[in-house]
Amino acid sequence: MSLDQFVAELSLLRQENPREPDAPPEDSSNAVKIMTVHSAKGLEFPVVFVAAIHKGVDTSVPVVAFSRHRGLGARWRNPASGEDKDDLFQHALRQEWKRREEEESSRLLYVAMTRAEYHLVLSFSATGRKPANWDKLVVERLALDLSAPRLQVADYRAPDGQPWKARVHIAQPAPELLTRPRTPQEEAPLLQVSLPAVEDQHDSNATVTALSLFASCPRKYYLSHYLGFPGRTRKPGEAALASAEPAGLSAAEFGTQVHALLAGSPVPEPTPDALRLAQVFRQSTLARRAARATRVAREFDFLLAIEDLVIRGQVDLWFEEGGELLVVDYKTDEVTAAEAHHRSRDYAVQLRLYALAVERVAGRAPDRAWLHFLRPNTLVEVDLTPTLIESPEQTVRDFQQAQSKLDFPLSEGDHCKRCPFYRDLCPASQSHLRP
Ligand code: SF4
């Protein structure tokens, strides 16, 4: 039974005096017993009624099911349409389950019928339906003709040759259903309650990139990550929307190439530009310090929990040298040295999250964090001092609240010029842009 039925059952039990005299032992009363087939196993009775055998047994598969052969399967609900659909495992499980339950069901009917010592009554209804469950088995084996009402005694022969008789009673119309008078308590008017407000619904995990994007503009995060819009493609002559895309590579592919080169991973056919940018970092002071480091990690993958959000990310480089713990992130953005300082604000949250992750693994907070913009070869230090407004914890809280309320405000500013949603899906106005 469901939980609410179980609670109701318990309260009923409490109301009835549970200390009433013990029930007489089994078989001591000359009374009708109503029991399930399972609980009747091993017992025998002079007369047995197996009623409503057209109901069969429940062969439905639970919403989440498991089998040794098929694994774990689930039935999923599309929240938009409300439709349910099995995944591949659940589909396979359903077939296996059905076959097994059908076999079990036949065994159960056998158990039910063989509880009778002298007299067995099977009843079923065929009104408006074809026999399909246990009734189908009985109709076929006894070759019953259900077309006309009658009462007859039919002769049969058991497999061992013994004759036996069955009284077949086909009634039409179906008997009226007995109705139970309702108690005044059951007739109490139904209470209509309003639907509970759905709140506090937010992702349980996010990437550093998504959080960083959210921090720079919640609406941009909503349009790109949350709804998955690709954004408008750049027209010739427009301000650059993203990093340059050399040699037919997307900005992301180009960035991956440079990062892989700097991590020492094999890169098939790197572009000359990627090789050049990797060389820019190798010749930097930070690279020389990393070479002398007592502890160093490149492309460091991490999982970090803040509040109840699990954050995934990858730190390009962190190392400990000369008593200092440093975090470094390489950027391949198409910016000038002057723009790099401006752009670094967009990456502040990202670097603070990296610092938190490194702190948990290194056992102490990093002393400094650097962004290395490789194209202009410009180093920008990011202040790791926590502030109330820009702390990672506050960003996570804002992120979860925005998802719960589906409220993603605009963050209008000069960065809108690089945004693929500017003057497209986003209603940001031009008044916020510097001339
Ligand atoms: S145009 Fe500006 S305000 Fe609009 S989504 Fe892009 S960055 Fe945000």
Side-chain angles (χ1 to χ4, degrees), residues 216-221 223 409-413 415-423 425-429 433:
S216 80
C217 176
R219 182 63 62 94
K220 190 171 167 186
Y221 159 79
L223 292 170
L410 311 183
S411 168
E412 292 166 278
H415 61 170
C416 293
K417 277 192 276 188
R418 300 190 307 272
C419 177
F421 304 109
Y422 180 57
R423 297 168 77 179
L425 289 173
C426 178
S429 81
L433 306 186

Side-chain angles (χ1 to χ4, degrees), residues 322-337:
E324 263 195 338
L325 188 60
L326 287 98
V327 176
V328 182
D329 198 58
Y330 327 118
K331 294 292 174 204
T332 54
D333 302 20
E334 179 88 4
V335 284
T336 61

Side-chain angles (χ1 to χ4, degrees), residues 285-318:
T285 325
L286 283 175
R288 283 197 290 277
R289 288 189 69 183
R292 295 193 300 268
T294 45
R295 273 205 287 184
V296 62
R298 292 186 169 82
E299 303 292 303
F300 168 72
D301 290 309
F302 67 86
L303 282 177
L304 172 74
I306 297 183
E307 306 276 318
D308 54 354
L309 186 74
V310 177
I311 301 163
R312 284 173 287 129
Q314 190 180 58
V315 184
D316 288 348
L317 170 68
W318 69 264

Side-chain angles (χ1 to χ4, degrees), residues 227-371:
L227 299 181
F229 286 119
R232 183 171 60 105
T233 45
R234 200 175 355 154
K235 287 183 195 150
E238 267 190 312
L241 297 175
S243 303
E245 297 164 13
L249 294 179
S250 71
E253 286 165 345
F254 179 72
T256 307
Q257 258 197 10
V258 176
H259 281 77
L261 287 170
L262 286 171
S265 310
V267 178
E269 299 178 30
T271 63
D273 212 24
L275 288 169
R276 184 181 65 79
L277 292 196
Q279 198 56 24
V280 167
F281 180 75
R282 288 194 193 108
Q283 290 172 351
S284 69
T285 325
L286 283 175
R288 283 197 290 277
R289 288 189 69 183
R292 295 193 300 268
T294 45
R295 273 205 287 184
V296 62
R298 292 186 169 82
E299 303 292 303
F300 168 72
D301 290 309
F302 67 86
L303 282 177
L304 172 74
I306 297 183
E307 306 276 318
D308 54 354
L309 186 74
V310 177
I311 301 163
R312 284 173 287 129
Q314 190 180 58
V315 184
D316 288 348
L317 170 68
W318 69 264
F319 62 88
E320 194 165 14
E321 191 269 336
E324 263 195 338
L325 188 60
L326 287 98
V327 176
V328 182
D329 198 58
Y330 327 118
K331 294 292 174 204
T332 54
D333 302 20
E334 179 88 4
V335 284
T336 61
E339 286 167 343
H341 286 86
H342 200 251
R343 184 73 62 89
S344 68
R345 286 183 219 145
D346 289 351
Y347 297 119
V349 167
Q350 184 182 357
L351 270 279
R352 286 192 185 120
L353 284 166
Y354 287 173
L356 265 184
V358 171
E359 180 181 347
R360 295 204 185 167
V361 71
R364 71 179 181 96
D367 300 291
R368 306 176 83 176
W370 295 96
L371 285 165

